[in-house]
């Protein structure tokens, strides 16, 4: 026979914390605490298996009835009270509890077991009729809400009427107050016993009206209604969407915990509270939390009374209202329980407790959520305390949380006015005056002003302005738009794709539409040049005015943890770096090479872009070569400096990738200016721009397609790379250049590219020291992935360009998807933004195909990834599993990638997932 | 020991026509003709295996020397002449001959074996010193060209000097003539014996100068040089590129044929010629061909003398210079040989022959190339003659050649001036006056003028003009651009992506740049509105003025062949049809349903586009639904008419696919007009257009993504479909609607779409007769292909949208690829334009994955293709092999697809490829 019910109490439990799959997180914690001999009110847990049967058959399993009866009988015996017995009425709480913490499900029903008779009995037994009536009316409202489908607001009015009568009795004219004011003037505690009696009658009448049935008097009926509500809540819409987003299988189900009530609201010797075994903000090892005397957990949530600190050290000056001071015995017990649980679970705990008549009861324990900073400190200190080993410590910190440590963040205590939400394109917070052009950003920044560059979108022409600004805000573009990629590369805060903004360059204003919760527009705010705003790139928020920020500060613990991570890690981490400065930054963050050096950004310097434009406007090969020759020395010098910075670490240089039209101006005035400068007619220049126009530039004449048409461009770049390598080698330095071909689609393209490279290489070698280099390709088209076996015949390495691979595989333009992708993610159609975290099922499966086929041809082919996904922890785990040799990401994400790669390694070794506590 | 040499002669041959792999096409034909007892000059074939050894080792196989010696000895004995023997000099021809006919390789060396002594011997033996010297000088030039690397033009000058001396002797001042004129005044026949002697001396001197060595005197040395040149030519660049384009493996190699010379130039009883056993233009069963008395094959090629007809019926009035009349005996022999060969090979033959001193010799036979018209007639007549069966007949016609039968073509005899080349976007020829706007096209066409619509590119707004025009010419866009797709749908000639055109709408002119063969611009021609041009959509050519055309005419044989094809065929053929007229046309071509009914074109009628624009500009769901309600009755009526036309055949309707901005104007004037009409401000309209702008619309907010955002659009369309189906069912007709979702990426999208459909379906059913329908999806994103197993959980059918699948898989925008794709195909980087013929290795492999995974989930899922590839014979074969249930293509290609599908079936059954003779 299936066992569906697991009792706990009297120091014994049928379950334990290893059976979270059966008991859920809460049930497992209660069982474990009971077994440890901690004071836990007894009860029983109905397993997730019962929920699964219920979901599938819409019926409770047959064996469940007798099992619950038996567990209930045991519970009654244990506490010496009985369901429905007025002389010693057993009251219970009923709570859901799934394997993973999951919002959206039914939470808690308290005081179950109350009816007319037991309420009276409770009044007598506690000698406190007001307490009993208050518990009863709370129970009716709570139960009706979750089990009978009568929503809470139905009851508010009846309660407010009672309040009004109380107010009148006090001489206050309640009719002139709105609900909120009334509730402040007449608190729950002010409602008299008689009025509570009226409220109970009124509540029951409401239930009768709404459901056509009387509120159940039979405690057993109440209990089954509650259990059914818990199981039903597993399949409500919010819960399903949440599961889909977090990859929680529907088959897990939720457990249901039934536990004898203890009361924190039985007078001044009673209390309720929550505590952490360490400070969840800082990680400091001391009991941290809040409590309320004479209260139930519900009161803390309702927020009407302000909770008090648990530690004496944290009380306001002149106060002595900490738990430590008011109930020193209970406090001491709580501290010792916390320590015991930490030792037992080898992790920081989040505790819920109730004190009834001076006796402390534990209601919940679980691994505590914590800030990135706390996670690092706790993990490192626990290693020193001997609780965990170094590898375990590495698993304990969510790599994504390192963003908080590495970037300035908004002061959490500061007041702020949210203006708009966009995409969290690059973390960090910044304030400044709004400017609408890169030139003005630079000018004002040079004059010492802090500015935020606000654009519809950014383009390579804006880079100097992005450098100068404190932060970047765009109305368009997704997580891999130009603004987002460049900002992350610079480690600069950026909110992108903020669609509420209407930027007007002419009038130098931005109109911010305000939306209500349903997404309907509710008026707008107009900001003008010079107005101050604050952006939080980590959250994607835009605030009015200057919100104070807190600077990042890295601790010794952080370095220690990262050292352990590097010890554990096997997959290499490189950085995407286009300049010597980027390269130096990357090395500072521990990058083991450059995985992507984009050469196009190098062409935007004034002198170079002119030559570039000459090249684009040239009519024949000779003229193109002449223009390219002007760029060569600059390009060579770029590489010389990058090679020097990288001191022999590999440097993967991608040859020119974007379509040529990106190098030509689009605005009339700029075109006229350029025509004059180039000494060509405006008409001719316009014609060339028109000729180069593309409907879908993403799928256009770019990447190595450019070099099929104009081989001389790549020839110049290869020459610059190899001459630079020769020069730096001659200085006595080691150099490891890797020449990378973008957008390859066929083997034959790579053959042609290799011919260009070999020809130049022979010419450079003939002039001096031969330089060794590797020749490889991006895998960024689905075709390249499926034909990887052929490409590997020519390429010595593959680098997965997962941005473009995502665009092509999913048919999603990263610059346009901002209009509908958020709805996809919010609506659960996609689990995550696929430009942030790799689409494992789709794009990922092509990555795996390419790895397999590439290695089939060339078993030692070097494999890496250089898309933005290289800095996303989930994606890094996937790449580790797919067997890549390295990931490459923006310098400011290298630390995150190092930790994620280490976790992937440790988790694979230990056979479980990383960052379990985050 | 390997056998490398296969002799033939005296009625016996070591090889036969089944060993084309060993002997090449030419060698196999010679062997077979010899075995049949036909008069073939004896000789031997060196097998392709020898070539393969030579390619791999750069050396002739060791066994080859003795084998050639032996074969040569046999040949000498056979003809009673010997290599290098002045008294009876053996002369041979040496020709390459691969398994498949392959341009680019070395072709022929004639008269090998001549040297100082044998030349004299030949002069004596033939009593014709002039003949011997002429043969010698030709041999020197030919041999030097192909075996010694001294190109032909090196010798032209020496020959011209001899001509000049002859001219002078005739009293003509040769110094005032250019080369061309000189060669016309002094033909080869005019060069005297003495001058030929001088020419031989001069030629040898040139060889010495260029190579540093004497021209080889030893016939054996000559022979080995020629064999080496044949084998070398297998690996020259042109041959390699050709092989790559036609999927011919490098490993096949070429054979080398050495054959005793016969001379057609030994006087008036000698001749040379080529003949077909049936008329290659019409298929009529009579010997058709050309001959030249007293000539070698080379003379026919050189084009200086005009060949004469073989049949008496074909001579010019008053002439009697046919072979039939001049050499009736030889003619009779040729006719009987032709018949014998036809019977033997069971196919129409292409013959080369030489008559020496009245005796006919066969030099080559092979299956003849023929026009589509001839192919059909020959295939059908051969079935009636009992030569082949019906299935064989089906294999005998190249489906692509049917285009010639179905569309008007240019009169091949008419003079024409080529202006420019573009893509052959839609077959057929048409002439007309140039117009630059759809409105003008319509106006002039209504006035009875023939017009060609010339646009940079077309958009849905131009459809009325495209309907009105005789043909369409665009400067931009590929084989699946709007212009190409719509023109093919209309069966209208179209040349697209003609990049030599610079269209200027303001000035109403088009400047056509002229290019030389190297692709360098060579001036331009300016055409203006009203100028007449002719386009040949089948070839992609644009001609100046009106070139006469020949109308299509379908024969009874054609219907007969198609009936046999339909008998043999298993895969269904549907049509892409958007209107009732299209549907009727499709049925006329034998379509078995509609595979793709695009609904967007339906929105461009004046009344509807207004409602559509109202919908796009609406602020909320209610306003959108109000606008959509205006479109509903029209849309329903469209479907009613289409369902009626299709009489129960399945109709697959794709819900709205393009991004909404395609329905808004782009030009300022149109925007202002629309703003007025819509009663909104120009600024507001411009803002909305700006909001909707996309960088890569191909990867943007389109397909079912629109319905995720605006479910009401699809709800309206589904309602129109189901209400129409109910109405037509009520008329007593059978209706089979298939609702197709575009651009699906995830299972979840399909679930949402299915919800919309089910809701509307329930509402429609509630009002009357329930209508059954199928629900399915396009597979057009790589992600959809790899996740087909999941999509099949929701979809009842898949239709491969191979246009978009190609775009995404290869990262190629069909609208932009015109700039570089031709270079890819010409340069052999891609075998074919992947928008014309499916990229089997890349896109095709994703199709296969999707078929496999879709069927794994739902074994009976219906699978089809509705991309433009559905009408391409090669692609149809692939789809047949991949196991699809049907293909769908534009109505005018349905016939081609029917034949291709039948061939795929027959070929699979017979275990060989179709259309072998084409």
């Amino acid at each position: 026979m299936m066992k569906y019910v697991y009792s706990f109490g009297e120091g014994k439990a049928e379950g334990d914390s290893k059976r979270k799959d059966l008991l859920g997180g809460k049930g497992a914690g209660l069982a474990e605490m009971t077994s440890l001999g901690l004071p836990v009110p007894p009860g029983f847990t109905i397993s997730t298996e019962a929920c699964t049967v219920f979901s599938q058959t819409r019926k409770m399993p047959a064996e469940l009835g007798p099992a619950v009866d038996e567990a209930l009988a045991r519970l009654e015996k244990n506490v010496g009270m009985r369901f429905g017995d007025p002389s010693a009425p057993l009251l219970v709480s009923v709570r859901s509890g799934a394997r993973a913490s999951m919002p959206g499900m039914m939470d808690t029903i308290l005081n179950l077991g109350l009816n007319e008779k037991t309420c009276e009995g409770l009044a007598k037994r506690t000698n406190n009729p007001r307490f009993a009536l208050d518990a009863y009316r709370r129970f009716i409202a709570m139960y009706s809400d979750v089990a009978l489908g009568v929503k809470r607001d139905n009851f508010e009015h009846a309660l407010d009427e009672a309040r009004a009568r109380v107010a009148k009795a006090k001489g206050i004219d309640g009719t002139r107050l709105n609900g909120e004011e009334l509730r402040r003037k007449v608190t729950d505690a002010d409602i008299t016993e008689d009025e509570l009696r009226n409220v109970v009658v009124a509540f029951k009448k409401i239930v009768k009206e709404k459901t056509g049935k009387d509120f159940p008097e039979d405690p057993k009926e109440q209990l089954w209604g509650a259990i059914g509500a818990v199981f039903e809540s597993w399949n409500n819409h919010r819960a399903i969407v949440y599961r889909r987003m977090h990859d929680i299988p529907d088959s897990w189900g939720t457990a249901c915990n039934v536990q004898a009530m203890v009361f924190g609201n039985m007078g001044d010797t009673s209390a309720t509270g929550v505590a952490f075994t360490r400070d969840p903000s800082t990680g400091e090892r001391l009991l941290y939390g809040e409590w309320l005397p004479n209260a139930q957990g519900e009161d803390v949530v309702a927020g009407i009374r302000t909770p008090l600190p648990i530690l004496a050290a944290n009380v306001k000056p002149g106060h002595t209202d900490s738990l430590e001071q008011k109930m020193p015995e209970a406090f001491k017990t709580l501290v010792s329980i916390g320590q015991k649980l930490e030792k037992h679970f080898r992790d920081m705990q989040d505790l819920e407790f109730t004190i009834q008549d001076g006796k402390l009861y534990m209601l919940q324990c679980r691994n505590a959520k914590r800030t990135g900073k706390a996670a690092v400190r706790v993990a490192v200190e626990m290693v020193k305390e001997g609780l965990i080993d170094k590898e375990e410590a590495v698993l304990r910190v969510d790599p994504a949380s390192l963003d908080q440590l590495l970037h300035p963040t908004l002061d959490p205590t500061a007041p702020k006015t949210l203006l708009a939400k966009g995409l969290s394109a690059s973390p960090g917070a910044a304030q400044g005056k709004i400017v609408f052009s890169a030139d003005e950003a630079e000018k004002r920044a040079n004059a010492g002003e802090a500015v935020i560059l606000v654009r519809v979108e950014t383009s390579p022409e804006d880079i100097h302005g992005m450098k100068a600004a404190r932060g970047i805000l765009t109305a368009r573009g997704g997580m891999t738009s130009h603004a987002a990629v460049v900002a992350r590369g610079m480690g600069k805060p950026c909110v992108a794709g903020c669609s509420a903004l209407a930027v007007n360059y002419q009038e130098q204003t931005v109109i911010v539409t305000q939306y209500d919760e349903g997404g309907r527009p509710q008026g707008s705010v107009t900001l003008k040049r010079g107005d101050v705003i604050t952006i939080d790139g980590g959250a994607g928020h835009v605030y009015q005015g200057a919100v104070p920020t807190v600077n990042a500060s890295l601790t010794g613990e952080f370095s220690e943890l990262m050292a352990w991570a590097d010890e554990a890690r096997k997959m290499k981490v490189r950085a995407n770096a286009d300049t010597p400065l980027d390269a130096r930054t990357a090395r500072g963050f521990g990058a083991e090479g450059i995985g992507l050096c984009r050469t196009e950004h190098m062409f935007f310097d004034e002198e170079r872009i002119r030559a570039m434009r000459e090249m684009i406007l040239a009519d024949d090969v000779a003229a193109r070569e002449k223009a390219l020759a002007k760029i060569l020395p600059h390009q060579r010098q770029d590489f010389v400096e990058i090679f020097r910075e990288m001191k022999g670490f590999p440097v993967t240089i991608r040859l020119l990738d974007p379509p040529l039209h990106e190098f030509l101006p689009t605005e009339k005035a700029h075109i006229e200016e350029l025509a004059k400068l180039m000494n060509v007619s405006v008409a001719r220049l316009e014609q060339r721009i028109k000729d180069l126009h593309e409907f879908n530039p993403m799928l256009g004449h770019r990447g190595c397609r450019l070099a099929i048409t104009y081989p001389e461009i790549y020839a110049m770049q290869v020459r610059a790379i190899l001459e630079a390598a020769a020069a730096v080698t001659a200085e006595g330095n080691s150099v490891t250049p890797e020449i990378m071909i973008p957008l390859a689609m066929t083997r034959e393209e790579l053959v042609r590219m290799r011919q260009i490279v070999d020809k130049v290489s022979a010419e450079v070698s003939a002039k001096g020291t031969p330089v060794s280099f590797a020749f490889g390709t991006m895998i960024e088209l689905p075709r390249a992935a499926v034909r990887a076996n052929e490409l590997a015949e020519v390429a010595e390495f593959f680098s997965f360009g997962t941005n473009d691979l995502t665009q092509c595989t999913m048919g999603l333009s990263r610059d346009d998807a901002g209009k509908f992708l958020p709805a996809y993610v919010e609506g659960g159609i996609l689990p995550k933004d696929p430009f942030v975290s790799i689409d494992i099922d789709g794009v990922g499966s092509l990555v795996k195909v390419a790895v397999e086929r590439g290695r089939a041809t060339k078993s030692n082919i070097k494999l890496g990834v250089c898309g933005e996904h290289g800095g996303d922890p989930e994606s890094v785990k996937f790449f580790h599993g797919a067997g890549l040799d390295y990931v490459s990401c923006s310098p400011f994400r290298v630390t995150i990638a190092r930790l994620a790669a280490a976790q992937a390694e440790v988790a694979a070794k230990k056979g479980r997932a990383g960052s379990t506590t985050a």
Side-chain angles (χ1 to χ4, degrees), chain A residues 52 275 605 628:
Chain A
T52 302
D605 266 20
L628 287 164

Side-chain angles (χ1 to χ4, degrees), chain A residues 450-755:
Chain A
V451 297
I452 303 287
L453 178 61
V454 179
R455 301 279 305 167
V456 174
E457 66 255 347
T458 64
S459 76
E461 288 175 326
D462 297 323
I463 288 192
H464 63 292
M466 297 173 76
K467 267 189 198 152
R470 295 281 172 95
I472 296 117
L473 170 60
T474 68
R476 291 266 188 86
M479 291 298 288
T480 54
S481 61
H482 179 266
V485 172
V486 172
R488 281 199 293 276
M490 293 176 174
K492 195 153 284 200
C494 174
V495 174
C498 188
S499 54
L501 308 186
V503 178
N504 189 325
Y505 294 132
Q506 267 71 49
E507 300 180 8
Q508 295 274 297
T509 59
V510 52
I511 301 173
V512 189
T513 308
Q514 309 283 290
Y515 295 93
D516 68 6
E517 285 188 2
R520 285 167 293 262
Q522 299 287 318
S524 65
V525 174
T526 301
L527 301 172
K528 50 188 197 309
R529 182 175 54 173
D531 286 352
V532 174
I533 56 172
T534 300
I535 63 171
D536 179 353
H541 292 171
V542 183
Y543 299 96
Q544 205 151 21
V547 181
T549 52
V550 183
N551 276 335
S553 65
L554 293 182
T555 59
E557 280 109 0
F558 176 78
S559 314
E560 216 156 348
L561 184 82
M562 289 311 300
W564 299 341
D566 287 343
E567 266 169 47
R569 178 165 60 86
K570 289 206 179 124
M571 192 161 66
K572 300 277 179 198
V573 176
R574 302 191 191 178
N576 300 348
D578 307 339
T579 65
L581 180 61
D582 287 354
R584 192 177 310 160
T585 310
R587 286 286 305 129
F589 283 111
E592 297 156 301
I594 293 179
L596 175 63
C597 177
R598 285 168 289 240
T599 50
E600 46 271 20
H601 298 162
M602 299 174 177
F603 293 118
F604 279 94
D605 266 20
E606 202 166 337
E607 209 166 345
R608 304 186 196 184
I609 194 153
R610 186 170 169 176
M612 193 68 187
R613 288 167 168 172
E614 271 176 32
M615 198 249 343
I616 295 168
L617 295 174
D619 281 324
D620 54 34
V621 178
R624 270 195 299 278
E625 282 179 341
K626 199 176 142 198
L628 287 164
K630 294 183 192 170
I631 304 175
L632 176 67
H634 300 288
Q635 179 108 94
R636 185 172 49 217
Q637 191 53 28
D638 292 328
F639 296 136
V640 163
E641 289 169 31
I642 289 173
F643 289 146
R644 279 187 193 140
E645 288 291 348
M646 292 313 290
K647 300 188 196 315
F649 279 109
V651 178
T652 309
I653 296 165
R654 180 178 73 186
L655 303 185
L656 194 69
D657 186 41
L660 296 183
H661 53 76
E662 284 199 8
F663 297 96
L664 295 180
T666 51
E667 284 171 36
K668 187 79 183 171
H670 291 167
I671 293 170
E672 282 166 1
E673 199 181 317
L674 179 63
K676 212 168 153 189
L677 202 70
M678 292 274 133
N679 201 19
V680 296
S681 72
V682 170
R684 163 136 170 62
L685 182 56
E686 279 178 336
Q687 183 61 44
R688 184 74 181 128
I689 291 169
K690 219 165 125 192
D691 287 348
L692 287 173
H693 168 78
E694 293 183 313
F695 295 100
N696 296 291
M698 167 62 212
L699 310 174
H701 196 182
R702 48 170 288 234
C704 65
R705 296 165 188 177
L706 287 173
I708 293 288
T709 322
Y710 311 114
E712 53 275 11
I713 300 179
Y714 278 17
M716 179 280 284
Q717 293 199 290
V718 171
R719 185 176 302 279
I721 293 167
L722 296 181
E723 287 181 355
V728 177
T729 305
E731 292 168 3
N733 290 306
S734 165
V735 182
T736 313
E738 302 180 332
I739 296 172
M740 181 158 74
I741 305 300
L743 214 72
M745 171 171 73
T746 71
R747 177 187 180 281
E748 191 61 26
E749 284 173 327
L750 288 186
V751 169
R752 309 287 166 106
M753 297 302 113
R754 179 84 215 198
Q755 283 164 356

Side-chain angles (χ1 to χ4, degrees), chain A residues 27-54:
Chain A
L30 290 169
E32 194 77 12
M33 286 197 290
T34 304
S35 297
L36 287 171
L38 303 185
V40 176
F44 54 88
T45 302
I46 303 172
S47 80
T48 58
E49 291 173 342
C51 177
T52 302
V53 172
F54 181 80

Side-chain angles (χ1 to χ4, degrees), chain A residues 798-869:
Chain A
F798 287 165
S799 180
F800 289 93
T802 48
N803 297 348
D804 282 4
L805 191 59
T806 299
Q807 296 197 80
C808 286
T809 304
M810 307 186 77
L812 282 177
S813 161
R814 62 189 184 189
D815 295 320
D816 302 310
K819 281 172 202 155
F820 54 90
L821 208 52
Y824 266 66
V825 176
E826 280 159 27
I829 300 173
L830 284 173
K832 287 185 180 176
D833 183 333
F835 293 114
V836 174
S837 196
I838 193 162
D839 161 40
I840 291 176
D841 288 346
V843 181
S845 78
L846 286 176
V847 169
K848 282 187 182 168
V849 162
V851 167
E852 191 183 295
R853 297 188 181 172
R855 288 228 168 98
T857 296
K858 195 173 272 173
S859 62
N860 66 342
I861 192 165
K862 202 195 279 185
L863 303 173
V865 64
C866 63
E868 289 291 314
H869 298 103

